[in-house]
Amino acid sequence: MDVNAAVAAAAAIAGVCTGVIAMLAFRWSERDQKRPTRTSLHTDPVLPPGVDTVLSVLRSSAVVLDEADSVVKASSAAYALGLVRGGKLAVEPMLQMARDTRRDGEIRQVELDLPRRGTGRGDALAVSARVAPLGSRLVLLLVEDLTEARRIEAVRRDFVANVSHELKTPVGALSLLSEAVMDASDDPEAVERFAGRMQIEATRLTSLVQELIDLSRVQNDDPLEDAEPVPVDELVAEAIDRSRHQASHKQITMAAGGTADLQIWGNRGQLAAALGNLVENAVNYSPARTRVGIAARRVSAPGGDLVEVAVTDQGIGISDKDKERIFERFYRVDPARSRATGGTGLGLAIVKHVAASHGGEVTVWSSEGQGSTFTLRLPEAAAHRDRAAGRGGGTGGGLDEETATPQGGGTATAATAATTTYEPIPAPEVLP
């Protein structure tokens, strides 16, 4: 009996000990789970409530630093700009600003030029950095990318400078000519000569102002708001008629060909201006007694069929270095010749903006002394394409019998357009 009691007492004591040990282990585990780890000190929960949500909607690149200059939070834009690498702020001037702000609590802002990473380009990344305290231990860094804003501002300054220069030339000429007319009031022949020059300068000034208005309109307006199916044949006819007088004066033959009954979806006025500028340039920069060709065709593209209108001339051609800049505003390959022909340097810039706003593009192929081909590619009017398919029109390959122009399927580069689209046009020569 005593033995049994002793065994029972020992078992009870063992059970109590086991329970105590289990309870202590459970409490220790709970406390260990609640204890902050080294990594948890640098995660989102250390941010004040709501800050994480605010940072996620900011357009600026955001970086939050702790008292050890470690990155607690960084937006994806901050990584994309190369501000954060290896959990550290990689821009020393910004890091120094954060330390100064942590020390005295003052908000600081500075603009910096940072080298671009991995692009191999020499241009810098312009940013504006603002540092402010966030609570008692953290510092918030907001970085705004100013590169595009600076580029636009530089373009605006160049544009204003170019406009001022271009307007100054005819206005100054008109002022001098008017003085000359006054001084030659008793010489009818001189008055007539000066008056003729005044008319030329006034016409140049009018053309420049009108093209500035046209450029402003195509840049600011949405052409697809008043879009409609525009027949390409009518656009080509208008472009030819616009340059007919100048072409007749230089004995230049203008030939139209290609696929008939094509339609483009867009603003008729802007499309007519763009194609008219291409044809007018071809006539102005071609020698006398040569030929200018305009041809249209349908080409297949992944996003839908395109209408390709190519304008080929037998003019002086364009060098490789000039081809990269001819679509810039006021850029002229030959300034002296441009002024002699009345060119303002805005025609091709208008063409580029019209093509882009209509979802298309304009390209150029040229060889010095052999001429140029400007190709305007724009989306075909969907409704017209559907009707053509209903009539069994299709877009199969083949050549037009009269113009040797490829019809339907396939695509062509600007270089091949100069050779395959205009086979009937002879090589540059002076016709008898």
Side-chain angles (χ1 to χ4, degrees):
M1 189 66 180
D2 294 338
V3 175
N4 293 334
V7 171
I13 293 173
V16 171
C17 292
T18 302
V20 170
I21 293 173
M23 185 170 57
L24 291 175
F26 178 75
R27 292 289 181 87
W28 181 268
S29 177
E30 264 192 339
R31 190 172 64 176
D32 190 60
Q33 289 178 5
K34 293 180 179 179
R35 181 183 301 166
T37 62
R38 178 177 298 180
T39 56
S40 67
L41 289 174
H42 302 287
T43 55
D44 294 348
V46 302
L47 293 175
V51 172
D52 194 12
T53 303
V54 173
L55 295 182
S56 64
V57 299
L58 288 178
R59 298 182 61 182
S60 304
S61 302
V63 181
V64 179
L65 303 175
D66 63 10
E67 57 267 76
D69 291 334
S70 297
V71 175
V72 176
K73 177 73 176 180
S75 63
S76 57
Y79 286 99
L81 288 178
L83 303 180
V84 178
R85 290 197 293 270
K88 294 289 185 179
L89 186 61
V91 183
E92 184 60 32
M94 296 182 186
L95 186 59
Q96 187 59 48
M97 286 174 57
R99 291 168 179 168
D100 295 340
T101 296
R102 187 184 301 111
R103 184 181 63 255
D104 55 26
E106 292 186 5
I107 298 176
R108 289 175 169 80
Q109 184 168 353
V110 67
E111 292 188 2
L112 300 171
D113 291 333
L114 307 178
R116 293 181 182 268
R117 293 196 308 129
T119 61
R121 295 185 296 177
D123 53 340
L125 186 70
V127 298
S128 174
R130 185 178 179 87
V131 180
L134 185 63
S136 59
R137 298 185 300 111
L138 304 179
V139 173
L140 173 63
L141 170 67
L142 296 178
V143 179
E144 191 76 23
D145 188 355
L146 303 179
T147 307
E148 183 65 14
R150 285 193 180 180
R151 187 193 67 81
I152 293 175
E153 178 63 20
V155 170
R156 186 193 66 81
R157 288 197 304 267
D158 291 344
F159 180 72
V160 172
N162 286 328
V163 169
S164 301
H165 175 73
E166 294 296 332
L167 289 175
K168 183 179 179 180
T169 301
V171 169
L174 287 172
S175 177
L176 292 175
L177 288 169
S178 64
E179 293 179 3
V181 169
M182 294 177 63
D183 293 340
S185 57
D186 56 347
D187 187 350
E189 293 184 1
V191 169
E192 183 177 357
R193 183 172 68 255
F194 292 142
R197 288 293 307 168
M198 290 178 68
Q199 286 183 339
I200 294 175
E201 295 299 334
T203 300
R204 178 180 300 172
L205 182 60
T206 302
S207 299
L208 176 59
V209 172
Q210 184 59 50
E211 290 203 348
L212 284 172
I213 294 173
D214 293 341
L215 180 60
S216 176
R217 182 179 295 116
V218 301
Q219 285 181 316
N220 298 327
D221 295 347
D222 183 2
L224 301 184
E225 288 184 357
D226 302 321
E228 60 179 337
V230 182
V232 176
D233 294 341
E234 295 181 9
L235 294 177
V236 173
E238 290 181 24
I240 291 177
D241 187 64
R242 170 176 165 177
S243 301
R244 191 180 304 277
H245 176 73
Q246 181 67 11
S248 176
H249 178 72
K250 298 175 67 175
Q251 301 181 41
I252 292 176
T253 302
M254 291 188 290
T259 306
D261 298 326
L262 296 176
Q263 289 190 346
I264 299 172
W265 184 259
N267 183 289
R268 183 188 183 93
Q270 292 190 14
L271 293 172
L275 186 58
N277 285 344
L278 292 180
V279 175
E280 186 175 19
N281 278 356
V283 171
N284 287 338
Y285 288 92
S286 292
R289 297 185 295 277
T290 55
R291 180 175 295 188
V292 171
I294 309 100
R297 66 173 182 173
R298 180 187 295 114
V299 296
S300 299
D305 289 350
L306 301 175
V307 172
E308 186 178 85
V309 184
V311 180
T312 293
D313 63 60
Q314 298 174 311
I316 59 177
I318 306 169
S319 65
D320 291 337
K321 66 180 181 65
D322 288 322
K323 279 189 287 189
E324 299 178 358
R325 301 190 59 190
I326 56 173
F327 293 104
E328 296 179 12
R329 291 170 291 189
F330 296 110
Y331 184 79
R332 298 183 178 94
V333 175
D334 186 350
R337 178 161 184 160
S338 295
R339 290 190 172 89
T341 59
T344 62
L346 291 174
L348 291 179
I350 292 175
V351 175
K352 177 182 177 180
H353 282 288
V354 170
S357 62
H358 282 76
E361 64 173 352
V362 58
T363 58
V364 59
W365 173 91
S366 185
S367 179
E368 291 186 90
Q370 298 184 23
S372 307
T373 296
F374 285 85
T375 305
L376 191 62
R377 296 185 182 90
L378 297 166
E380 184 181 11
H384 176 77
R385 187 169 64 248
D386 294 340
R387 288 196 297 270
R391 294 195 304 266
T395 58
L399 294 177
D400 184 274
E401 294 182 357
E402 295 183 0
T403 63
T405 303
Q407 294 181 336
T411 59
T413 63
T416 57
T419 56
T420 60
T421 306
Y422 303 108
E423 289 179 2
I425 298 178
E429 61 180 348
V430 178
L431 303 179

